[in-house]
Amino acid sequence: MASETVTDSAAAPDAAAPENADAPERAGLADGVDLARALEAIFMVVDEPQSVVGLASAVGRPVKEVRAAIASLVADYDGEPDPAALPDAPARPRRGFELREVGGGWRLYVRAEFDDVVRDFVHTQAPAKLSQAALETLAVIAYKQPISRGAVASIRAVNVDSVVRTLLSRGLITEAYTDSETGAIHYETTELLLTQLGINSLDELPQISPLLDDGQAGFDDVR
Amino acid sequence: MASETVTDSAAAPDAAAPENADAPERAGLADGVDLARALEAIFMVVDEPQSVVGLASAVGRPVKEVRAAIASLVADYDGEPDPAALPDAPARPRRGFELREVGGGWRLYVRAEFDDVVRDFVHTQAPAKLSQAALETLAVIAYKQPISRGAVASIRAVNVDSVVRTLLSRGLITEAYTDSETGAIHYETTELLLTQLGINSLDELPQISPLLDDGQAGFDDVR
Amino acid sequence: MATPPDAVIEAGDSSPDARGGFRVAVADFDGPFDLLLSLITKRELDITEVSLSAVTDDFLAYLRALEGAERLDEASEFLVVAATLLDLKIASLLPQGELVDAEDVALLEARDLLFARLLQYRAFKEVSAWFSERITAETRRHVRSVRLEDRFRQTTTELRWTTSVDDFAALALLAFAPKEIPIVGLDHLHAPLISVREEAAHVVGMLRAGEPLTFRQLIAGADQMGVVVARFLALLELYRHAAIGFEQLEPLGELTVRWTAENWSDENLVNLGAEYGQ
C-alpha cells in the first residue's frame, strides 16, 4: 500500500510530461502512471477474463511488470498486509470483490462470502412479473429476431437498454451474434420463451404480418 | 429479520428506529458482516444507479448507516486518509475506480484520468451527437418541466415535433401527463438525462433565472 | 448588399467570438451575430437601424460555405433569432408618441415581451452549451456495467408468466404500430367559421351599386376580427379578378374601393376564395 502511495505522489503531472514523448504510439500508459491503478480501472469495465499478455500490450508495459501489479492487486483486495508497509500499519480491508484467474485470464468477481448478499439483492431487483415495457420489447425481438438493441429502440421509440438487460438476465433472450461492422449485438429469443408461451417453435407465433416489413412492402401478402 | 433488527437497534439505538421502519421484511445482512464490504460486493453487479434507500432495503440496514458506509467507500477509493487510522499511518491509494452519485444513485465508474486507458476495452458506441436544436429543446424542457410541446415551440419559436421525437427515442425525456382539458402531452426529463449529464438531480443544473420568469419578473434589472 | 460574401465569411481574428461563427457587416455594425444580438438587447444599437434583409443576405452567403449538420444548426438558430428580431423591429417601427392611451402602452409592453423572449432564447441557448459539454464529458466516462456472473443469473426470482401467446402477439402489434406523436386537437376551439366567399358576396353586393366606398365603410358593422380579415382577403381576390380598383391618396390614408368590372357574373363568386378553404 505504501509503495503505491509513493508512486502516486511521485506521478506529479509535470514529471510525466517530458517523458511522455517516448510513450508507445498507440496505447500505453504515460510514464509515472501507477500500473496497478490502471489495471484496476480496466478490470472495472471488462466482461471477459483478461490475459496478462493482452493487458501488457494494452498498457504498453512488460508482461513481468503487469504480472507483479496483478499480484499486488490480488493481495490488496484480499486484505493481506502491504509488504512495503511498516509492521504496525493498520490492516487493509478484505474487499467485497476479488481478482481471480479463470480460464487463462483475470477478472473481478464478487467474493464468495458475499454471494448470499448479492443473491438476495439480485432477487429483490428482479420482480416476479415482467413489466409492460419488457413484454413489448420481448414481443418486438420475438418477431424481428435477430435484432440489435438500436433497432428495437427505434421501433419502440424509447430507450430499451435496461429492459434488454432484464430480458437477458431472465434468460428470455440471448445474444445471437455481433455485427462485425457496427459492433452491434443482435439478440434472439430462447427456448425458455417458447416454453413460457406454450409453443414448440417460433412458427407457432400468431401472424401479424402487415406491420412487420417496416410498413414498406408486404401489405398485400399477409404472411 | 428478527436477528437483524436486533443488530440494527444495537448498532444505532436512537437513529435506527424511524429509518429502520422502511427496511424490508425479508432481506438483511447477517450479523457482523461489514456493511461497506457488502455494499462494494453489490456495486460489482449492478447496472443501474442504486439509491441509498434501495440499498438500505436490500441489506436490511438503516438508511443512515448505509449513507455513512457509502461515504466511507468514496473516501477510501479516493485515497483519503482513513479517519480511524493513526495520524502517521500510510495513505491509502487513490483507486483506478470511484464511486459516483449520478442519475439518482451510486455506481462504480472508472476514474476520469483512466478513461483513455480503458477505452479500448469498452465496446459501446457513443450515441450520435445531439443537434443544437435538440440541445436547446432539451434545455427548455429541463428547466420548464413539465411542459407541452406547444409551450416549448413558443419559446424556441420553431416547430419542435421531430426534435421532441428524437429526445423521446433517446430516453432523455418522457411523457409526464396529458392535460385533461387541452389533451396536450406534457414532457419531463428522465433519470437517464441526469446520468448522461453526470449529475444527480435537477438541482444541479446551472442557475439561469431571472431570465426565465416568463421574461416578466426581474426584467427591468436585466435591461 | 455592399459587402462581398467572402468578406463576410472571414472568421475575423479580432472577433471576440472565438468560435468564428457568422459575422455581420452592415452600415453601423461589423462583428459577430452574437454581438449584434447582445448590443440590441442592451439597447446600445437601434434595431430599426439594422437592415435585416442585408443581414439575411450575408447569412445566406455564409451558410453556403458551411456543410451538413453545422449548416442546419446555424440556420435554425438564425431563423429563431431573426424571427424575434423581425417582431422586435416591427414593434419599434410603429409610432411611439406619448403614453396617452392604452394602445400605446400595450405596444410598449409587446416590445418588452419581445426583448424578454430574445433574452429567454439566449439564456436557453447559452445553457444548451453547458448541456453539450456535460454530455460530451460524460460519454467519455466509463461506468461498470458487466454481465451478471452466471452463479447469480440462475438465482433470480422465478418468473411469473401470465401472457398467453395471443396476448403476446397483440403486444407485438401494439409495439409495431407506428408511433405518431399525437397532435394537439383544435376541435375544442369553437371559433365560428367565416367564409371568404360569403364576405366577397357581401362586398360585391355593396360595391356593385356603383358608388365607391372606403374600406372603413366596407367593414362597418363587422364585429369580429375574422370578418374584417375575410373582407380584406375578398378585396384582394376581387382585385385579382380585375373586378375592383383601389385609390389611396397618401400612405396609410383612407383606402377607397371602386367597382370596375365590366362583365361580372355571380359564377365568378363560386370559385372565389377557394384557396382559403372556407
Side-chain angles (χ1 to χ4, degrees):
Chain A
M1 179 153 171
S3 69
E4 282 128 24
T5 312
V6 172
T7 323
D8 281 341
S9 35
D14 50 340
E19 301 182 65
N20 210 8
D22 356 352
E25 290 302 323
R26 44 166 297 282
L29 242 39
D31 268 3
V33 173
D34 190 317
L35 180 56
R37 300 287 80 78
L39 290 177
E40 68 186 358
I42 292 171
F43 286 129
M44 259 311 123
V45 296
V46 296
D47 259 329
E48 301 298 331
Q50 301 295 312
S51 73
V52 176
V53 173
L55 288 168
S57 111
V59 296
R61 293 278 178 95
V63 168
K64 202 174 158 186
E65 272 184 39
V66 171
R67 191 166 284 131
I70 288 177
S72 80
L73 280 177
V74 171
D76 178 356
Y77 298 160
D78 285 353
E80 284 169 20
D82 186 348
L86 298 172
D88 60 346
R92 299 190 285 188
R94 193 173 144 89
R95 300 282 168 189
F97 48 86
E98 60 181 336
L99 197 53
R100 266 176 28 209
E101 188 174 21
V102 169
W106 293 89
R107 185 188 190 274
L108 283 172
Y109 291 90
V110 169
R111 192 174 292 281
E113 62 208 70
F114 296 99
D115 276 6
D116 288 345
V117 177
V118 171
R119 195 166 290 133
D120 275 357
F121 176 81
V122 172
H123 225 76
T124 13
Q125 295 301 99
K129 273 187 77 172
L130 287 181
S131 67
Q132 175 80 8
L135 280 169
E136 273 188 42
T137 301
L138 183 58
V140 169
I141 296 173
Y143 278 91
K144 296 276 266 186
Q145 59 188 305
I147 184 172
S148 72
R149 223 169 357 163
V152 179
S154 73
I155 290 171
R156 297 254 303 117
V158 291
N159 183 295
V160 295
D161 292 4
S162 79
V163 168
V164 165
R165 270 197 298 262
T166 304
L167 294 174
L168 273 173
S169 74
R170 283 304 192 165
L172 292 165
I173 61 171
T174 184
E175 290 156 10
Y177 65 90
T178 303
D179 188 302
S180 57
E181 272 181 36
T182 64
I185 300 170
H186 285 63
Y187 299 92
E188 61 187 11
T189 56
T190 61
E191 294 279 321
L192 179 61
L193 174 67
L194 299 182
T195 313
Q196 299 286 15
L197 287 172
I199 57 179
N200 292 312
S201 90
L202 290 171
D203 297 338
E204 291 175 41
L205 281 178
Q207 306 191 345
I208 58 163
S209 268
L211 291 166
L212 281 188
D213 301 321
D214 300 323
Q216 304 283 350
F219 271 98
D220 11 13
D221 70 314
V222 173
R223 174 174 91 167
Chain B
M1 180 67 193
S3 67
E4 286 109 31
T5 314
V6 172
T7 323
D8 284 340
S9 25
D14 45 348
E19 289 190 297
N20 204 19
D22 356 352
E25 296 305 321
R26 41 161 302 285
L29 234 46
D31 268 6
V33 175
D34 187 327
L35 179 54
R37 302 285 82 78
L39 290 176
E40 67 187 0
I42 288 173
F43 285 128
M44 275 295 124
V45 301
V46 300
D47 53 17
E48 298 279 332
Q50 298 299 313
S51 73
V52 175
V53 173
L55 288 167
S57 115
V59 297
R61 291 277 179 94
V63 168
K64 202 174 162 183
E65 274 183 37
V66 171
R67 191 168 285 131
I70 288 178
S72 79
L73 281 177
V74 170
D76 178 356
Y77 298 161
D78 285 354
E80 285 167 21
D82 185 349
L86 298 170
D88 59 346
R92 300 188 285 188
R94 190 174 144 91
R95 299 283 169 189
F97 49 86
E98 63 180 332
L99 205 48
R100 286 176 76 203
E101 190 177 23
V102 162
W106 294 89
R107 280 183 91 177
L108 284 169
Y109 279 75
V110 169
R111 198 171 286 284
E113 59 212 69
F114 296 102
D115 281 348
D116 289 341
V117 178
V118 306
R119 203 174 34 213
D120 291 344
F121 291 89
V122 186
H123 302 294
T124 51
Q125 309 120 292
K129 275 192 80 169
L130 289 174
S131 67
Q132 179 65 25
L135 283 167
E136 285 172 22
T137 302
L138 188 57
V140 171
I141 295 174
Y143 282 91
K144 301 275 246 180
Q145 60 187 305
I147 183 172
S148 72
R149 223 162 2 124
V152 178
S154 76
I155 291 172
R156 293 256 308 125
V158 288
N159 184 298
V160 295
D161 290 6
S162 76
V163 169
V164 164
R165 206 170 299 142
T166 303
L167 296 175
L168 276 172
S169 73
R170 294 278 284 265
L172 297 172
I173 61 171
T174 184
E175 293 171 8
Y177 65 89
T178 303
D179 187 300
S180 57
E181 272 181 37
T182 64
I185 300 170
H186 285 62
Y187 299 92
E188 62 186 9
T189 56
T190 60
E191 302 221 319
L192 183 66
L193 172 68
L194 299 182
T195 307
Q196 298 208 349
L197 289 172
I199 61 177
N200 189 46
S201 92
L202 291 171
D203 299 339
E204 293 173 41
L205 291 177
Q207 294 283 317
I208 57 170
S209 49
L211 295 182
L212 288 191
D213 304 329
D214 297 321
Q216 304 283 356
F219 186 69
D220 284 342
D221 317 327
V222 176
R223 224 171 24 186
Chain C
M1 187 55 250
T3 325
D6 40 13
V8 176
I9 297 164
E10 59 155 36
D13 297 337
S14 58
S15 155
D17 185 5
R19 69 189 176 94
F22 171 49
R23 269 184 86 85
V24 184
V26 287
D28 294 322
F29 177 83
D30 183 5
F33 191 47
D34 270 3
L35 181 59
L36 174 71
L37 282 187
S38 52
L39 287 180
I40 290 171
T41 45
K42 281 187 217 139
R43 302 216 180 164
E44 283 167 19
L45 192 69
D46 188 349
I47 177 75
T48 57
E49 284 170 15
V50 176
S51 162
L52 283 182
S53 70
V55 172
T56 308
D57 284 349
D58 281 3
F59 182 73
L60 289 179
Y62 165 78
L63 259 199
R64 268 177 224 121
L66 288 182
E67 286 186 358
E70 198 187 352
R71 182 180 195 154
L72 258 182
D73 282 350
E74 290 245 5
S76 70
E77 179 188 322
F78 181 80
L79 280 181
V80 172
V81 176
T84 311
L85 284 179
L86 195 61
D87 285 352
L88 207 53
K89 185 156 179 164
I90 290 168
S92 307
L93 286 173
L94 290 172
Q96 293 168 38
E98 305 227 318
L99 292 186
V100 280
D101 58 28
E103 238 176 75
D104 285 343
V105 174
L107 198 65
L108 283 175
E109 277 174 358
R111 230 165 65 147
D112 282 353
L113 270 177
L114 288 170
F115 272 113
R117 210 168 86 192
L118 198 53
L119 286 175
Q120 192 183 43
Y121 173 73
R122 286 174 57 79
F124 282 121
K125 181 171 169 289
E126 275 167 30
V127 83
S128 76
W130 180 86
F131 275 67
S132 179
E133 279 161 28
R134 293 299 307 214
I135 290 175
T136 308
E138 202 60 27
T139 45
R140 279 198 288 269
R141 299 303 307 268
H142 301 288
V143 68
R144 177 167 172 89
S145 174
V146 303
R147 258 200 308 269
L148 200 56
E149 293 170 38
D150 285 342
R151 57 197 164 129
F152 301 124
R153 266 200 204 201
Q154 283 125 28
T155 63
T156 50
T157 338
E158 178 134 9
L159 192 60
R160 223 170 62 236
W161 184 274
T162 53
T163 313
S164 75
V165 67
D166 288 329
D167 288 349
F168 190 69
L171 276 169
L173 267 176
L174 188 67
F176 284 115
K179 306 270 184 307
E180 281 303 320
I181 290 200
I183 287 161
V184 180
L186 298 173
D187 302 345
H188 57 285
L189 300 174
H190 296 294
L193 295 171
I194 295 157
S195 155
V196 170
R197 195 176 312 142
E198 279 169 23
E199 296 307 320
H202 177 81
V203 169
V204 169
M206 286 174 80
L207 287 172
R208 246 179 136 175
E211 279 299 299
L213 294 171
T214 64
F215 185 65
R216 207 178 287 276
Q217 286 170 309
L218 283 174
I219 57 168
D223 53 352
Q224 289 178 49
M225 186 55 83
V227 173
V228 176
V229 171
R231 285 190 192 167
F232 183 71
L233 291 174
L235 285 176
L236 293 180
E237 283 292 299
L238 289 169
Y239 182 71
R240 218 168 69 175
H241 284 81
I244 57 169
F246 294 114
E247 194 172 280
Q248 193 174 31
L249 294 177
E250 52 178 328
L252 300 177
E254 193 85 85
L255 181 69
T256 309
V257 187
R258 179 188 313 277
W259 186 255
T260 59
E262 287 175 0
N263 37 23
W264 173 267
S265 91
D266 281 341
E267 279 173 28
N268 291 346
L269 267 182
V270 175
N271 293 319
L272 198 98
E275 62 209 74
Y276 298 108
Q278 283 287 330

